[in-house]
Amino acid sequence: EPEVTQTPSHQVTQMGQEVILRCVPISNHLYFYWYRQILGQKVEFLVSFYNNEISEKSEIFDDQFSVERPDGSNFTLKIRSTKLEDSAMYFCASRTGGSTEAFFGQGTRLTVV
Amino acid sequence: DAKTTQPTSMDCAEGRAANLPCNHSTISGNEYVYWYRQIHSQGPQYIIHGLKNNETNEMASLIITEDRKSSTLILPHATLRDTAVYYCIVRDGRDDKIIFGKGTRLHILP
């Protein structure tokens, strides 16, 4: 069964460093998303992406964040200068154009030290 | 903000039907009811969704009341692997993002 793949599963980085989280969405999907979940808290929407541009972003998604679809398969989330409070699980999701249910990856656990 | 109210937690015996309630009294005519679950910090998993008719798939059944102000997700024969947080989400079909609430933590007891 096709699935959304995220790498790495766990990333440890020093405060102030840049990180790139990678996602390979399901191949025929057109809409892409990033969510995050701080330990013990709700899953929070960050950004949606369609047709090579951001379609919606939350207040969390400030200038330190950016997304890119550099080729036909990868979808990345970059955090320019990480802060301690960026420590969280980051989930990528995707969906087709003809359906409304999104499929999530298994997440990347980001730890900022 | 989440437009739904769910119990914080529930227990269900293994092999029994798990019935998870959800209130969505302010739901509007073009909003669907979606259910997702999250097993121990894994990515959320889509279960089922519906507008006004009851729905069934290989995972679960969704019963929506006639006034659409509440619904129940039914896992017909719960197993230990169904232990998870279950999210009831009300969402416009045109709305792109999913807004997660706190969900119901379902414990399946052996």
Side-chain angles (χ1 to χ4, degrees):
Chain A
E1 185 177 317
E3 59 182 17
V4 176
T5 306
Q6 291 186 242
T7 54
S9 56
H10 191 184
Q11 172 104 37
V12 180
T13 189
Q14 289 203 322
M15 192 169 54
Q17 294 295 304
E18 173 184 288
V19 293
I20 298 176
L21 309 183
R22 301 181 191 281
C23 171
V24 179
I26 295 172
S27 64
N28 63 338
H29 285 194
L30 302 175
Y31 296 80
F32 313 110
Y33 311 86
W34 284 101
Y35 290 78
R36 79 170 187 191
Q37 186 176 32
I38 296 170
L39 187 64
Q41 298 187 22
K42 298 186 294 186
V43 178
E44 300 173 290
F45 167 76
L46 291 179
V47 66
S48 58
F49 190 87
Y50 169 71
N51 200 25
N52 282 320
E53 60 183 23
I54 290 173
S55 45
E56 189 172 359
K57 59 184 180 180
S58 72
E59 291 178 353
I60 303 167
F61 194 89
D62 62 20
D63 292 344
Q64 293 298 311
F65 291 88
S66 62
V67 289
E68 197 175 37
R69 187 155 162 82
D71 53 41
S73 61
N74 290 285
F75 180 50
T76 61
L77 174 69
K78 182 192 291 187
I79 309 175
R80 261 180 271 283
S81 178
T82 50
K83 303 188 283 284
L84 294 177
E85 53 265 39
D86 293 326
S87 294
M89 284 289 289
Y90 287 82
F91 296 109
C92 173
S94 69
R95 68 175 177 92
T96 68
S99 67
T100 56
E101 61 267 28
F103 295 86
F104 286 75
Q106 291 305 294
T108 293
R109 180 174 300 282
L110 176 66
T111 303
V112 182
V113 297
Chain B
D1 287 69
K3 302 176 185 177
T4 62
T5 304
Q6 298 178 252
T8 303
S9 67
M10 292 182 63
D11 292 338
C12 178
E14 189 178 17
R16 299 287 190 134
N19 296 279
L20 292 95
C22 180
N23 286 322
H24 31 79
S25 57
T26 60
I27 192 169
S28 63
N30 57 349
E31 288 181 320
Y32 290 72
V33 180
Y34 285 77
W35 284 84
Y36 280 77
R37 73 180 182 183
Q38 188 176 25
I39 298 172
H40 190 54
S41 295
Q42 295 180 21
Q45 178 188 23
Y46 166 79
I47 302 173
I48 199 167
H49 75 281
L51 183 63
K52 53 185 179 181
N53 296 323
N54 297 337
E55 302 287 345
T56 295
N57 63 20
E58 65 278 4
M59 289 183 69
S61 295
L62 173 60
I63 308 298
I64 303 174
T65 58
E66 196 168 337
D67 63 8
R68 302 209 322 124
K69 292 185 177 182
S70 65
S71 60
T72 301
L73 179 75
I74 301 172
L75 308 178
H77 304 286
T79 71
L80 297 178
R81 288 176 296 179
D82 292 322
T83 292
V85 178
Y86 286 77
Y87 300 99
C88 171
I89 297 155
V90 162
R91 180 171 164 231
D92 190 313
R94 297 163 297 179
D95 196 4
D96 203 14
K97 63 186 181 293
I98 300 168
I99 301 297
F100 290 89
K102 295 183 179 179
T104 295
R105 187 170 295 276
L106 176 66
H107 296 102
I108 304 300
L109 307 175

